[in-house]
Amino acid sequence: MHMADALISPSVGVGFWALSVGGIAYSAKKLKEQMDDKIVPLMGILGAFVFAAQMINFTIPATGSSGHLGGGMLLSILLGPYAGFIVMASILTIQALFFADGGLLALGCNIWNLGFYTSFIAYPLIYKQITKNGKYHFIASLISVVVGLQLGAFSVVLQTFFSGISELPFKTFVMLMQPIHLAIGIVEGIVTAAIIKYVYTIKPEILLTSIPIEKKMKNDTSIKKLILMFAVLTVITGGLLSWFASSNPDGLEWSIEKVYGKPELPEKDSGIVNVLKNIQEKLAILPDYTFKKLEKKEEASEIEKYPNIDIGTSVSGILGALVVLLVAFGTGYIIKTVKRRG
Amino acid sequence: MRFDEEFFNLGYIDRLSYKETFIHNIDARVKLVIVILYIISVISYSKYTVSSLFPFLLIPVLFMTLGEIPVKFVLKRLVVVSPFIFFIAIFNPLLERNIAFYIYGIPINYGTISFISIIIKFVLTVSIIIILVATTSFAGLCYALRYFKIPEIFVNQLLFLYRYIFVLTEEAMRMIRARDMRSFGKKGTELNFYTKLAGSLLVRSINRAERIYYAMLSRGFNGTMPYNRKREANIKDFIFLFAMLLILFFFRFFDPVNIVGKFIERII
Amino acid sequence: MSHHIVKFENVTFKYPDGTEALKGINLLITHGESVGIVGANGSGKTTLLMHLNGYLIPTTGIINIGDIILNKKTRLEIRKKVGVVFQNPDDQLFMPTVYEDVAFGPINMGFDERNVEIKVKSALEIVGCYDLKDKPPHHLSGGQKRAVAIASVIAMEPDILAMDEPSSNLDPKSRRSLINLLKSFSHTKIIASHDLDMILDVCNRCIVIKEGVIVADGPSEVILSNEKLLEENNLELPLSLQKR
């Protein structure tokens, strides 16, 4: 689910670059404050480990297809959120550069999608909460991986949508992305949980040593930051819910029906529903902003909506394109032959 | 054999990046700036742009040939990474069916045009990145990042990561070979076995990190990494930068396709 | 030159998990000596080496290196005196290029750029690897990695060189050039190894460790020809001393 340069608009690309660099700078600052020198080689090695582990494929039970480890949650569990985020960002950078996974401009989006939600939302708000008493590591890592990946996938949809390059309707895209990543998330969650469990049995002191680092983090996570995180989470889930509510009323009604036995809510004016409804109304433009609406409008505003197509509109366009292509390839060919002779 | 392919690929790019050519010798900072501006220029065209993108092909071609990067290698990479983008882009022709124009009576819709545009942008942006890393040593790139004020911890992390990717992937590969040798058919690639393999690789890695930390301490490590790669940009770098900026500017704002086309039309 | 001595007095060490790795080590190594430390796997050789530059601090007992008593405060000082070459050069070469790796120590010691350059150059020339200075470590062969790892340590100009299995994983030719290199050093050398032929070649004194205790200490030729002693310690006679 790596975003690609060709699918995003410059503003989305630059915007998420700014967000991700901000995230890195913030994490770097936090890490520097609590710098335990020991973490320097550990971060490098664990990054390389995730890299290597991603290259080993495994068979997903009952399907026969193969999956691989994402690693974001594993890193956060072992290193804490700040170091985990930086390591994940470094892995994605190398993948963007060497495997052309995604792209350079889309790198900001990818760091955000695969790093931020896992390290700063799923890890502190889910994993840490569930494992507060030092128990339930397995279920905690499973749930937090799934949630992190769901948020990431939804983020991909939003970025694609706001870039406006792909014609995929918002709704369809969400319907494609979320279930696929639910399946991926469950498998990855199980793998992450199993690895954590394995390490815990072989070398329990590894998880123990990561605790002091986390303890320091816990103390400096101020209420303000937590509230901010909650706000982000609420907006995202709220948006998601309200969107489901608006474009897929059957879905919400169906679930209400299941709970209350009738398709209406008992208290119509209860606060949270109103809030959701409000958000829903505000966001309701989104699902409508798809090709159907455009189709209706298109006759009236075609000139506005579509720019003059530069290919084929004139003979000169085609001629020019051909010549430019010839020049491009010709230059390469000439340099190559000259070099070979020289 | 996905694993081996990926591994050797990284090693291959790494080896390419240590060649000595005109492009390789250009300052990493200059190349990074050019590549980023290049990508932004390409991406900033509207989604229905096709022919105006053609001139931009000249730059990857130039880098590739001057840097002696095999075309086949770049093309192969493009094919490997294309499925996701193809999957997303293929919906455009299906969803946006308003006819833009006819070519010999065959209707071409807007969706098809934007599909072609996405694919061209993809080819341009991906190939320029591959060419960048194949013509620039990774340490040089990191030096450029530090120069542009990317947080030091992150840059150090990149260097450390890059250094040990080679060591750990080799270790993982040895483990996989051992697995494959003893797993006939599918058995042994199951999840259960995978977690044990990854788990023990993880434990080994953590032990390794400890040994490295010991090695660092014994050589006076005090929390900062003294990467002291200094390189002064020379006149050649500046000329190259200037020329490339000029070309990019010309391509982006003067649409050479149109100019050349009109010129030829007049001659005919 | 008494300040290059290494002195262990009743040193014991217990790992946090309870394993007692050293159980009362007493030894004195004087300036310029070259000492081989041999013993079975798990006998405590590596643990002992890890004390030499203060990565581990003894649980009880005193370690005196160059007239400085090892403790948490003095270990930075001691690290300047003792250079440790690790068993796996991949763990030791963590910088992106050979040059930067060898420069790591001198820069941390506070030398300016010019002096760092001089030190790096001379260290790399000693091990014959100056040509490799711009290469990344993963482009080097096993023997080259080992040589660069040694250079990275001698660039800090330590008085004492400690090495863990320096000849492991080397082809015979690389091993031979390593032995010649070690012989050319005038440093105090402490070498832990299973390669008894190399010990015999390089070290004039040999110490046998068994389960955290020194069981034999004497001239290499004497110790390494004692078949019974060696066998008790999972070792065997060096090839050069075996009768055909």
Side-chain angles (χ1 to χ4, degrees), chain C residues 40 210 215 226-235:
Chain C
K210 188 182 185 183
V215 290
N226 184 341
E227 217 171 330
K228 189 164 162 282
L229 174 73
L230 292 177
E231 228 151 78
E232 278 168 10
N233 287 286
N234 288 5
L235 303 168

Side-chain angles (χ1 to χ4, degrees), chain A residues 96-151:
Chain A
L97 286 172
F98 287 87
F99 299 132
D101 256 344
L104 219 50
L105 194 63
L107 179 59
C109 293
N110 286 323
I111 291 176
W112 193 257
N113 298 345
L114 293 166
F116 178 80
Y117 300 109
T118 306
S119 293
F120 294 116
I121 291 180
Y123 176 75
L125 299 183
I126 296 172
Y127 184 84
K128 290 299 284 179
Q129 299 311 316
I130 298 180
T131 57
K132 233 180 205 162
N133 302 323
K135 276 187 279 186
Y136 312 118
H137 284 279
F138 196 94
I139 196 76
S141 39
L142 177 60
I143 296 175
S144 49
V145 168
V146 169
V147 172
L149 211 59
Q150 283 294 303
L151 291 173

Side-chain angles (χ1 to χ4, degrees), chain A residues 230-271:
Chain A
F230 259 114
V232 173
L233 189 69
T234 335
V235 168
I236 290 166
T237 45
L240 191 64
L241 276 178
S242 63
W243 170 77
F244 264 109
S246 65
S247 63
N248 190 7
D250 297 349
L252 194 65
E253 261 164 49
W254 176 80
S255 58
I256 294 168
E257 199 177 328
K258 213 175 161 195
V259 175
Y260 291 102
K262 51 181 177 176
E264 292 293 337
L265 280 172
E267 284 171 81
K268 260 191 153 179
D269 293 329
S270 87

Side-chain angles (χ1 to χ4, degrees), chain B residues 14 163-164 211 214 218-219, chain C residues 53 90-93 139:
Chain B
D14 182 69
R163 166 73 185 95
Y164 281 98
R211 294 197 301 271
Y214 180 28
S218 66
R219 285 197 278 147
Chain C
N53 69 351
D90 272 326
D91 297 342
Q92 182 142 10
L93 306 178
H139 286 187

Side-chain angles (χ1 to χ4, degrees), chain C residues 79-98:
Chain C
R79 278 180 195 146
K80 290 181 186 165
K81 294 182 180 291
V82 185
V84 182
V85 180
F86 297 90
Q87 182 172 0
N88 185 344
D90 272 326
D91 297 342
Q92 182 142 10
L93 306 178
F94 45 80
M95 297 294 272
T97 62
V98 166

